[in-house]
Amino acid sequence: MLHRTIMAIMAACLAAVVAACILQGEPWRLHWPEERLITYRTLFYALAIILFPLTNLIRYIQMRLCQTMPGDKPAKRRYLAPVLVSLVLVENIGGLGVALFLLGDGANTLYIFTGLAALGFILYRPKPSEYLRIVDALARKDDA
């Protein structure tokens, strides 16, 4: 399924960036003062906490739109939008960790944000049940 391939590619890209940070990231790090890092760390954690329910809400709205919007797009193409949007949003959480690491924060913060992004990939992965709901809704709409 195309949706799962996209998810795997996005997760692999995030893993590659994290591996590059760990293995070759030291020359790129800025080493900001701790007080400044605390402010950004707090802001980024708040953004990560907000992004999870926001992603769920956006995905729910997009799923309902996929089921009810007029048009002749097939279900597979309609389902691609909510999958892409939700995966991009949770991949950004991993990007926050990379940004903090490059600003001078420790590797633990990088691991925490990457772990949160991995959790998001699991929570918002393409699900056959969601796809089948779109297929059923479009079939009912065509029958009506």
Side-chain angles (χ1 to χ4, degrees):
M1 195 175 197
L2 174 66
H3 306 92
R4 290 191 184 268
T5 305
I6 290 171
M7 183 188 80
I9 290 170
M10 292 177 79
C13 288
L14 181 61
V17 169
V18 169
C21 284
I22 293 168
L23 299 174
Q24 302 291 328
E26 195 56 42
W28 302 334
R29 295 183 73 190
L30 297 178
H31 301 288
W32 279 6
E34 186 65 27
E35 300 82 31
R36 201 168 175 192
L37 280 175
I38 289 172
T39 303
Y40 280 92
R41 189 181 313 133
T42 305
L43 177 67
F44 286 1
Y45 273 115
L47 281 172
I49 290 168
I50 291 169
L51 270 176
F52 271 103
L54 183 65
T55 301
N56 196 28
L57 175 66
I58 290 171
R59 187 176 176 112
Y60 175 78
I61 291 169
Q62 285 185 317
M63 288 297 299
R64 293 296 298 151
L65 287 173
C66 286
Q67 295 169 359
T68 59
M69 289 296 290
D72 57 350
K73 287 184 185 176
K76 188 179 261 187
R77 191 158 172 219
R78 288 177 184 238
Y79 187 51
L80 189 60
V83 168
L84 282 177
V85 169
S86 59
L87 293 178
V88 166
L89 286 172
V90 296
E91 188 170 26
N92 283 331
I93 294 172
L96 294 174
V98 171
L100 277 173
F101 179 78
L102 293 176
L103 292 176
D105 211 350
N108 284 342
T109 303
L110 176 66
Y111 298 145
I112 290 169
F113 278 96
T114 305
L116 287 172
L119 176 67
F121 280 125
I122 293 168
L123 289 173
Y124 302 116
R125 69 189 181 280
K127 298 174 185 138
S129 61
E130 292 175 337
Y131 174 70
L132 291 175
R133 276 185 273 175
I134 293 172
V135 170
D136 288 343
L138 292 178
R140 281 193 308 261
K141 187 170 69 170
D142 288 340
D143 291 340

